Amino acid sequence: MALTKDHILDALRGVMHPSGEDLVARGCVINIAVCDDQASVRVCMTQGEPNTPQPEKAQLTRMGSVIDATVRGAASEQGIANLQLITEFVDHGGNVVMRLSGGKVTTPESKRPEQDTPQNKDATGVPGVKHIIAVGAGKGGVGKSTVAVNLAVGLARKGHAVGLLDGDIYGPSLPTMMGLDAMEQQVLEGALQPFYVHGVKCITMGKLVDTDKPLIWRGPMAHGAFNQLVERTQWGELDYLIIDLPPGTGDVPLTLAQSVQLAGAVVVCTPQKVAQDDAVRASGMFESLGVEVLGVVENMSFFIGDDGKEYDIFGRGGAQTMAQKLGHPFLGAVPINMALRSNGDSGRPSDNFDPKTAGGEALPKALESMVDQFEAQVTLAQMGKGASKPTLSIS
Ligand code: ADP
């Protein structure tokens, strides 16, 4: 027996909103993450009513206890006696207004400054940034940048404050994929100002150097260039900073793991055996750097023909099987899709989330599900983690 998202959702149908409707029917349940005996539930009590103020603390605390008891009841029906549960109430912007965990209630005002306020530089190593996640792949051309871009845009569409750093300093693709070509990099008092496009703050080496000339940066130069991009950008406050790494297992991931505290890494892979072998190496590299692999995305998983049938060109499921073997969560399968390629080439990633401009429902659904899984895994990783910096063990 295992507790699933659906068990929790079904149980929450029994929890009533003050309006008389249940929480699920009213759309208040924003996100549920579950893995073994750990779960998190995110609720917005004023969903769909942007002008209504958040309920009083006492009311949220009462509602939180009901949710807590209900979810624990669902867990115990599945044989889980000691569920580790976090219940978060959020406002319309996705900001947490109250968190209940292990019998403790915290509100943003009651947090000690050194706990996890955005200003705390020690949390991630970058002031104002809550979670830094690297997106890597064992080899080029598997869709790593595509996944990083769509992850960032998808998170922003869900109301998160998101930054995207093109860590592929050798072959930056963000200028094209995010549509930055006609824009100029702004610098204010020595700080790089990120471009704000598709709801995401982005920075890329592609807007700082002449991309027509090959970049031949080795070791310390690559290290310095990358660190400057991370540190000299005025990010402001971010929920997620997504870093699109160069392909392979080189200097940049090492620099990254040394200079910031990563919440984890996402490995992108196509289903073929050769791509999987590279992805296994990439995953091994993250682990040797002490960086948790949050999950694997299978890109170019299958193709949907004009006849509506799904064709498994590269052997769908290969990356999923690999993820299972390595014990990593599977974050989802992204189909081969003409719109995804053309929206990438023309810098319109938001179009991937609209069935009218994404060639149908399949792509938006796949991307949204990937974003949901990603959020869930970041939450779970934070629950199970102390705040220690990764230790390097390189042989
Ligand atoms: P990487 O970062 O791994 O080198 P990219 O994300 O740059 O790979 O993708 C390489 C090319 O493949 C791009 O033109 C991109 O638009 C295209 N592409 C990536 N994933 C898909 C997909 N699922 N369907 C169609 N085209 C894709």
Side-chain angles (χ1 to χ4, degrees), residues 259-278:
S259 41
V260 299
Q261 171 77 51
L262 288 168
V266 170
V267 174
V268 182
C269 180
T270 51
Q272 308 97 306
K273 175 81 176 74
V274 278
Q276 285 172 42
D277 293 344
D278 287 311

Side-chain angles (χ1 to χ4, degrees), residues 7-26:
H7 291 135
I8 297 180
L9 201 63
D10 278 345
L12 291 176
R13 289 185 214 281
V15 178
M16 291 301 142
H17 187 269
S19 66
E21 251 183 311
D22 74 74
L23 286 189
V24 178
R26 207 173 163 82

Side-chain angles (χ1 to χ4, degrees), residues 137-138 248-249 274-288 322 326:
T249 49
V274 278
Q276 285 172 42
D277 293 344
D278 287 311
V280 170
R281 273 191 285 279
S283 142
M285 170 200 70
F286 284 124
E287 283 177 345
S288 70
M322 184 241 350
L326 294 176

Side-chain angles (χ1 to χ4, degrees), residues 139-146 173 177 299-300 334-337 340-341 345:
K139 63 194 281 178
V142 298
K144 171 185 54 61
S145 299
T146 303
S173 36
M177 289 194 172
N299 187 32
M300 309 196 201
V334 179
I336 300 175
N337 182 288
L340 186 59
R341 203 270 312 141
D345 281 357

